[in-house]
Amino acid sequence: MSVARPTLQRIIMQLQEYWGNLGCVIAQPYDEEVGAGTFHTATFFGVLGPAPWRVAYVQPSRRPADGRYGENPNRLYQHHQFQVIVKPSPADAQDLYLESLRALGIDTRHHDIRFEEDDWESPTLGATGLGWQVLCDGTEITQFTYFQQMAGYELSPVSVEYTYGLERIAAFIQGVDHVMDVEWVEGVTYGQLRKRFEYELSVYSFSGADLSRHWQLFNCAEEECRAALAARLVLPAYEWLMKCSHWFNVLDARGAISVTERTGYIARIRSMARECASLYLDGSTGQGANL
Amino acid sequence: MRSKPFLFEIGVEELPASYLAPYAEQLARIFTEECAQARLAVTKMTTAWTPRRLVLYCEKLAERQPVTEDEVKGPPVSIAFHNGIPSRAAEAFAAKVGQTLDQLERRVIAGKEYLVARVMRGGAKALDLLPSLLVRVIRKLRAPKTMRWDDKPTVFARPIRWLVALYGARVVPLDLDGLHAGRLTRGHRFLSPGVISLRKADYDALRDRLYRAHVILEAEEREREIERQLVAHGARPDRIDRTLVRLCANLVEWPSVVRGQFPQEMLELPEVVLVTALKKHQHSFCLYDDTGNLCAGFLAVANNDLRDEELIRSGYERVVVARLADARFFWNEDRAKKLADRVDALKKVVFQEKLGTYYEKSHRVRCLAEYLATLIGRDDLKPVVSRAATLARADLTTAMVFEFPELQGTMGRIYARVVDGEPEEVSAAIEEMYQPRGAEDALPSTVAGAVLSVADKIDTLVGCCAVGLGPTGSADPYALRRQALGLLRIIVAQGWHFSLADLISTALKGYHAPQPDSVAQQVQQLLHGRMETLLRDEGVRYDVINAVIAPGWNDASRVVATARALMKLLPTPEFQRACTVVERCHNITRDAEETPEDVRPELFTHEQENILWTHWHTVHSELQRARAAGDIPAAVALLAGEFHNTLHTFFDQVLVMEEDARLRRNRLALVRAIRTGVCQELADLARIVFEGEENARRK
């Protein structure tokens, strides 16, 4: 393996190779706007039910409220997660993870690696988990979670989710202070590839997006989701849920949702998630359906 | 009894720091209980922990249960035998105790002859009892949040990955849902990977072996090590944050302090922001120079041996600098807008879903604060408290408080001063409104701050109770008990005398509660409960608490002052004499019939009645004067002095329970008037219990 400082592209390839060798399906990003890799069907449905399942993939994740016009050194409208699910979680869950850091060239002997308590939950998905944020010399590089619930269902067996923050890890390994200076591949920076996107999407979500149309979009998507559920079509229904969730995030970033309303909208998305999961568990035919 | 040492280690994935000490405490307690239950003698127990392990050791654990011979009672002989032939009852009993019929004995118990069996009990081996005992212990350990992992049914705060259970040199064959105990422990995850085999249960050996494997087993030892290194890196011993030391000691197994720098210009940030950013978010210590000012450096505690110190230092510095750069960005942004111009934005910040916005709360608190200023005779404070109440929540809309919520109030004070240019008394009150933040925290130091804090707290208490969010049982989601206690502490410290009931009903006007009376009652109960807590925390005896609260606790300052004074007077003979006055009155009227309230002197037939009645009038008005002056010893002296004799002479010479009902009831009314009078003006002294008297009184 090359000793040259790893580019973001190489980090992704190394993680794919590492987890692929451990029996993970290397999946592709889901082609809908999502806030986190957890929304991918490979995770949401994959962790439900009893069947063993291992999957890894990159998931571009949109957080409209975190958009900073490409100016902030580590906050982004869209960042990239490398998501791994291992079900059931193995007895050496931590060691497997640490070995992946070594595969990236992070010397765990000489750095200060910590597992610090961090309980995770996604109220929109009805998901909870316990685990840690993994810190390397004080920088958070991974979210490490033992899923306890998904869509309100107690999970058995328990899956472990590793979510690597790719930009953070790359900046850390490359020793750069600003995400835009991260080297994506030799001679190409993150900024060259992503800055315009970050800028335009930030402008759009903070001042461009038409609020009343977004409310309409949210409501239409919810209706479509309900219609698909009525037709017992789980995956189309779930795709409309993803859209609802994204449009909710756009509206939220604009401060268009009051605290009181917030709870109500989150409950609406969660109820869709619950029904998708319940329908899926009803007719689950094994892992083939996850993707 | 022969015994052996016992060593138990629960190896886990990193536990939350705050769970460690409570887990260890439970481990010791539950293990002790289980051993007592299993009749296994244990001595010299100790516990220790790191983020990855909980350890229990006892120097002596009995090898066996003690053997005892017990007598088991069977059926009466009359039922056990019919005409000398054993019945089914006799056979069943013999089978139950595992003996033959002729081994059974007969014994007369309470005049009736029974079959009895002598049975040897106990003698089970520790090694046989421990496996299931230890599983029960693990299952009984509780934590605020627990989880399951893999495909196991076990529940714990984080996955359990190994177990060491050694009795003497032998492994206790323990099986926790498929995880078997052994003799293998582990050293530091990164510095000494691999397992360590323990020959036998030996705490000192374990501690040494772990130390060589880069694990300091004992938390106190890690704390000492951290403090030593902090000082070696230039921390001033008097400025070391011990709470943070304790936290860090529970986050690492091999603490090593790293010193980092940040750019000098970051020191432009308010000190409290720097401290919060470093401490809360990086668990790092601040550095101070000789004059007590912050330096542009910090100390972090790594879980490493720093073989490549520069690597770790540069990593920490980058994170800290990024954090501080964020804070500086917020600081600059926030100062572009006055707090006064942020007040309107509070219309969008919800205080509590059912209780409206902070804008509305600020308005209510302002009205209450003005009312309170009048109540305590400080109308001059009205402009200050009114201004402070208006601005007090505006810092909730600043970026700094959004990022560091614990700085609310503190940033309000700073921004009010530097951005709005408010006078010091206004800005101080803004911060002090939040005090005391906990049982240990300081009270507001200014009167305006105290007024604002009480106004804010009573508004929260009344509002929450009005919408059904009051505390129930152990659930108190809005920490109302803490707020109620804080409110009382402030009133007492300020020595304010006003009616809490009036304050509650005024606060209620800010809401449109459908049933104001029941809300007021709930708030009163809440305050009553905290009043007892406050007195108990001061070491006031239970009977004294009852005595001072009995006449009402509406005036909190008076109740506390009386309690404190009575505690001091308690050992004096005067006090005992004063109490006998009330006690005699109490004893005779306690079970007596109802009487009219008014004493009618024209019905007096005995001169002692007149003497007592006249004397009481004088004493009563003197008691009122003493009360107004807050002079409790004077009040006690009044009762213990001449009046004491007058009363006793009365009781000696006058028959209260006279046959003539009119005379009797009038005399009872006289005695009752004294009893209630003393209770109202001082305390219900009849409730005071003197040593050796407890039983006599109950008669």
Side-chain angles (χ1 to χ4, degrees):
Chain A
M1 203 166 285
S2 151
V3 255
R5 68 176 196 172
T7 59
L8 181 57
Q9 181 168 309
R10 177 141 297 280
I11 289 170
I12 292 173
M13 294 193 302
Q14 280 165 335
L15 286 173
Q16 288 183 339
E17 190 184 336
Y18 176 83
W19 289 105
N21 286 339
L22 285 167
C24 287
V25 170
I26 303 301
Q28 298 305 315
Y30 207 88
D31 63 335
E32 292 280 348
E33 302 98 328
V34 293
T38 314
F39 275 84
H40 196 301
T41 50
T43 293
F44 181 80
F45 293 112
V47 300
L48 294 169
W53 174 232
R54 290 187 171 204
V55 66
Y57 53 90
V58 174
Q59 182 63 55
S61 304
R62 294 173 186 238
R63 307 260 168 96
D66 284 349
R68 292 293 183 273
Y69 308 90
E71 303 293 336
N72 190 282
N74 46 38
R75 284 193 201 186
L76 293 164
Y77 171 94
Q78 183 178 73
H79 69 291
H80 295 77
Q81 297 183 340
F82 190 86
Q83 165 94 353
V84 182
I85 292 291
V86 180
K87 172 190 173 190
S89 60
D92 55 354
Q94 285 181 305
D95 290 332
L96 285 185
Y97 166 73
L98 291 169
E99 198 50 44
S100 77
L101 294 186
R102 291 176 201 120
L104 295 179
I106 295 177
D107 176 356
T108 56
R109 166 68 182 74
H110 293 102
H111 281 287
D112 183 27
I113 312 267
R114 301 282 194 87
F115 291 89
E116 285 195 8
E117 166 190 15
D118 197 15
D119 302 333
W120 171 90
E121 70 173 338
S122 165
T124 37
L125 289 181
T128 61
L130 263 63
W132 310 270
Q133 50 172 335
V134 184
L135 304 175
C136 182
D137 303 339
T139 298
E140 183 190 347
I141 52 172
T142 302
Q143 192 72 37
F144 185 135
T145 308
Y146 290 100
F147 278 149
Q148 302 293 303
Q149 277 193 358
M150 183 60 86
Y153 285 100
E154 284 292 324
L155 299 178
S156 179
V158 165
S159 301
V160 60
E161 178 199 61
Y162 310 100
T163 303
Y164 299 75
L166 287 170
E167 283 86 353
R168 290 279 191 90
I169 292 181
F172 179 82
I173 295 179
Q174 297 176 11
V176 300
D177 291 328
H178 202 293
V179 59
M180 292 299 157
D181 298 330
V182 162
E183 208 173 18
W184 189 290
V185 66
E186 283 81 359
V188 182
T189 65
Y190 193 93
Q192 284 171 309
L193 292 174
R194 306 284 312 159
K195 180 137 187 189
R196 178 163 181 169
F197 178 89
E198 281 298 319
Y199 176 77
E200 292 195 0
L201 271 292
S202 296
V203 172
Y204 178 73
S205 62
F206 289 126
S207 52
D210 182 280
L211 294 183
S212 66
R213 269 199 292 273
H214 270 79
W215 283 123
Q216 283 173 24
L217 285 169
F218 182 95
N219 291 326
C220 289
E222 188 184 23
E223 280 177 42
E224 277 300 293
C225 175
R226 296 282 167 200
L229 281 169
R232 297 185 65 80
L233 294 169
V234 181
L235 296 176
Y238 186 73
E239 290 195 338
W240 287 109
L241 173 156
M242 292 196 228
K243 289 186 205 291
C244 274
S245 170
H246 173 62
W247 289 324
F248 170 82
N249 289 340
V250 173
L251 289 162
D252 200 26
R254 286 290 291 278
I257 305 174
S258 77
V259 181
T260 331
E261 291 170 326
R262 227 184 122 76
T263 329
Y265 282 100
I266 289 176
R268 276 160 72 178
I269 303 174
R270 187 168 57 237
S271 119
M272 292 181 241
R274 173 78 185 185
E275 285 176 50
C276 288
S278 118
L279 199 54
Y280 173 84
L281 286 171
D282 245 13
S284 177
T285 50
Q287 58 171 276
N290 293 333
L291 288 163
Chain B
M1 181 64 65
R2 286 159 58 98
S3 65
K4 284 192 182 126
F6 170 67
L7 176 69
F8 186 45
E9 181 185 40
I10 304 174
V12 286
E13 297 184 357
E14 283 77 353
L15 286 172
S18 63
Y19 291 14
L20 296 173
Y23 255 157
E25 179 275 322
Q26 293 179 57
L27 183 59
R29 179 166 46 79
I30 296 169
F31 179 74
T32 311
E33 286 165 11
E34 286 288 336
C35 284
Q37 189 83 31
R39 302 201 299 146
L40 283 174
V42 224
T43 48
K44 300 210 175 163
M45 191 162 59
T46 145
T47 55
W49 64 84
T50 77
R52 284 183 82 201
R53 67 200 80 225
L54 300 167
V55 171
L56 177 140
Y57 174 77
C58 45
E59 206 174 290
K60 289 181 176 173
L61 177 69
E63 278 184 20
R64 288 173 182 275
Q65 295 173 322
V67 178
T68 50
E69 194 187 66
D70 293 343
E71 194 178 79
V72 182
K73 188 171 129 189
V77 173
S78 57
I79 293 176
F81 295 95
H82 294 298
N83 307 322
I85 302 162
S87 68
R88 298 216 2 222
E91 278 163 5
F93 176 63
K96 190 184 114 192
V97 296
Q99 296 186 358
T100 60
L101 277 170
D102 31 311
Q103 280 177 301
L104 299 176
E105 296 171 20
R106 295 178 181 205
R107 189 117 88 87
V108 177
I109 299 167
K112 201 169 182 185
E113 196 175 29
Y114 286 90
L115 276 188
V116 295
R118 300 204 163 276
V119 192
M120 303 295 276
R121 286 207 171 147
K125 286 189 199 164
L127 255 181
D128 295 332
L129 294 169
L130 280 171
S132 57
L133 185 152
L134 293 171
V135 170
R136 281 199 301 279
V137 170
I138 295 175
R139 297 208 200 283
K140 283 185 180 176
L141 296 175
R142 294 282 173 267
K145 279 189 187 170
T146 54
M147 59 173 283
R148 290 169 298 108
W149 59 93
D150 310 355
D151 46 8
K152 291 177 183 295
T154 325
V155 172
F156 209 66
R158 287 295 182 276
I160 299 176
R161 293 305 185 192
W162 79 85
L163 293 167
V164 172
L166 289 172
Y167 184 60
R170 295 187 57 182
V171 169
V172 178
L174 143 70
D175 173 354
L176 178 73
D177 303 323
L179 180 69
H180 296 272
R183 56 175 77 248
L184 301 181
T185 183
R186 300 184 199 182
H188 192 281
R189 188 190 281 290
F190 302 110
L191 304 179
S192 300
V195 294
I196 300 166
S197 179
L198 302 169
R199 205 168 54 77
K200 58 176 185 171
D202 179 342
Y203 183 76
D204 291 339
L206 173 74
R207 199 178 42 197
D208 293 349
R209 295 285 299 276
L210 285 176
Y211 189 83
R212 273 180 278 150
H214 296 96
V215 173
I216 299 179
L217 177 59
E218 291 168 357
E220 309 80 46
E221 193 54 40
R222 291 193 299 277
E223 286 176 28
R224 274 195 292 277
E225 181 59 25
I226 291 169
E227 289 197 20
R228 191 187 63 73
Q229 294 187 32
L230 287 173
V231 172
H233 277 91
R236 294 162 48 114
D238 56 321
R239 298 299 294 265
I240 291 177
D241 181 336
R242 312 282 154 183
T243 317
L244 187 55
V245 170
R246 194 162 310 135
L247 171 66
C248 288
N250 282 335
L251 289 171
V252 300
E253 295 199 305
W254 193 255
S256 296
V257 171
V258 186
R259 182 178 173 133
Q261 295 291 125
F262 52 81
Q264 200 71 28
E265 68 253 31
M266 296 297 178
L267 291 175
E268 292 161 17
L269 280 166
E271 177 170 335
V272 62
V273 172
L274 280 165
V275 173
T276 307
L278 287 171
K279 175 179 164 175
K280 292 280 163 68
H281 297 270
Q282 298 301 138
H283 305 320
S284 292
F285 295 82
C286 298
L287 280 165
Y288 297 87
D289 64 19
D290 290 339
T291 53
N293 293 317
L294 274 180
C295 307
F298 65 92
L299 300 174
V301 181
N303 185 30
N304 195 274
D305 61 355
L306 304 186
R307 209 174 278 178
D308 192 345
E309 186 170 353
E310 196 41 48
L311 184 74
I312 292 180
R313 187 206 328 279
S314 64
Y316 268 99
E317 282 179 348
R318 268 177 32 213
V319 186
V320 164
V321 172
R323 279 269 180 206
L324 296 183
D326 274 353
R328 204 162 59 138
F329 175 76
F330 303 142
W331 173 240
N332 291 332
E333 286 273 289
D334 288 347
R335 282 183 301 160
K337 194 171 177 182
K338 286 185 166 192
L339 280 188
D341 297 330
R342 294 177 178 275
V343 172
D344 259 1
L346 289 176
K347 288 176 181 165
K348 281 190 178 168
V349 186
V350 176
F351 160 51
Q352 204 288 327
E353 213 178 309
K354 295 176 185 163
L355 295 175
T357 65
Y358 273 112
Y359 185 83
E360 293 162 309
K361 182 167 175 58
S362 294
H363 177 73
R364 289 192 304 267
V365 170
R366 198 182 73 214
C367 297
L368 278 170
E370 289 177 354
Y371 162 81
L372 259 170
T374 305
L375 213 54
I376 59 163
R378 288 293 303 268
D379 277 325
D380 60 305
L381 283 178
K382 274 188 178 174
V384 175
V385 296
S386 169
R387 183 73 183 150
T390 306
L391 299 178
R393 303 283 181 177
D395 64 348
L396 286 173
T397 69
T398 64
M400 193 72 87
V401 172
F402 184 79
E403 191 71 9
F404 303 110
E406 61 270 43
L407 290 183
Q408 62 173 302
T410 310
M411 290 319 296
R413 177 183 196 155
I414 295 171
Y415 288 141
R417 198 90 180 98
V418 305
V419 185
D420 291 52
E422 292 291 338
E424 176 59 26
E425 42 187 345
V426 170
S427 53
I430 290 174
E431 181 173 31
E432 291 181 351
M433 184 178 84
Y434 292 89
Q435 290 178 328
R437 292 184 196 239
E440 306 295 314
D441 193 28
L443 300 175
S445 65
T446 67
V447 180
V451 166
L452 211 58
S453 181
V454 168
D456 183 59
K457 288 178 173 59
I458 196 69
D459 177 70
T460 304
L461 292 176
V462 167
C464 286
C465 288
V467 294
L469 297 171
T472 48
S474 61
D476 184 11
Y478 292 85
L480 298 186
R481 292 194 180 108
R482 181 169 61 76
Q483 300 220 31
L485 182 61
L487 178 146
L488 291 172
R489 283 176 60 205
I490 295 170
I491 291 174
V492 171
Q494 294 289 338
W496 289 336
H497 294 278
F498 57 72
S499 151
L500 284 170
D502 289 352
L503 180 65
I504 292 169
S505 65
T506 309
L508 262 167
K509 288 181 195 151
Y511 295 95
H512 304 287
Q515 289 167 309
D517 292 344
S518 86
V519 176
Q521 207 180 353
Q522 207 187 336
V523 177
Q524 283 186 16
Q525 272 170 9
L526 184 59
L527 288 170
H528 189 173
R530 290 312 98 183
M531 180 63 111
E532 289 190 11
T533 309
L534 188 151
L535 293 169
R536 253 200 321 272
D537 290 350
E538 284 206 9
V540 177
R541 245 169 53 173
Y542 219 90
D543 52 339
V544 175
I545 294 180
N546 289 335
V548 294
I549 285 185
W553 46 277
N554 212 2
D555 179 346
S557 296
R558 192 175 98 85
V559 168
V560 173
T562 310
R564 285 175 183 160
L566 294 189
M567 281 306 288
K568 275 194 198 146
L569 292 166
L570 212 48
T572 64
E574 282 82 40
F575 184 63
Q576 207 153 348
R577 276 160 66 87
C579 288
T580 56
V581 168
V582 185
E583 204 186 330
R584 283 199 85 165
C585 299
H586 172 70
N587 286 347
I588 202 151
T589 54
R590 186 175 40 192
D591 304 318
E593 68 216 276
E594 292 283 311
T595 46
E597 291 214 344
D598 291 334
V599 178
R600 292 165 61 192
E602 68 272 20
L603 291 178
F604 289 160
T605 56
H606 197 289
E607 78 164 315
Q608 284 301 330
E609 284 179 286
N610 270 315
I611 293 174
L612 179 63
W613 182 236
T614 320
H615 199 168
W616 165 245
H617 262 290
T618 326
V619 167
H620 193 203
S621 50
E622 299 255 341
L623 278 176
Q624 282 169 329
R625 255 197 297 284
R627 178 191 165 160
D631 193 347
I632 312 296
V636 168
L638 273 167
L639 297 173
E642 204 42 48
F643 186 66
H644 177 262
N645 301 337
T646 307
L647 187 86
H648 281 277
T649 314
F650 168 82
F651 279 123
D652 290 348
Q653 297 184 11
V654 182
L655 180 66
V656 176
M657 300 313 272
E658 163 72 53
E659 270 192 33
D660 180 334
R662 285 207 325 155
L663 298 187
R664 183 176 69 236
R665 292 172 62 175
N666 195 48
R667 286 172 187 172
L668 281 169
L670 167 60
V671 174
R672 274 210 176 100
I674 297 171
R675 184 191 178 319
T676 24
V678 174
C679 181
Q680 266 162 15
E681 304 309 332
L682 180 60
D684 187 3
L685 298 183
R687 294 177 190 250
I688 302 293
V689 180
F690 290 98
E691 217 171 300
E693 199 195 27
E694 202 153 352
N695 296 327
R697 275 171 148 248
R698 291 271 146 81
K699 282 179 191 156

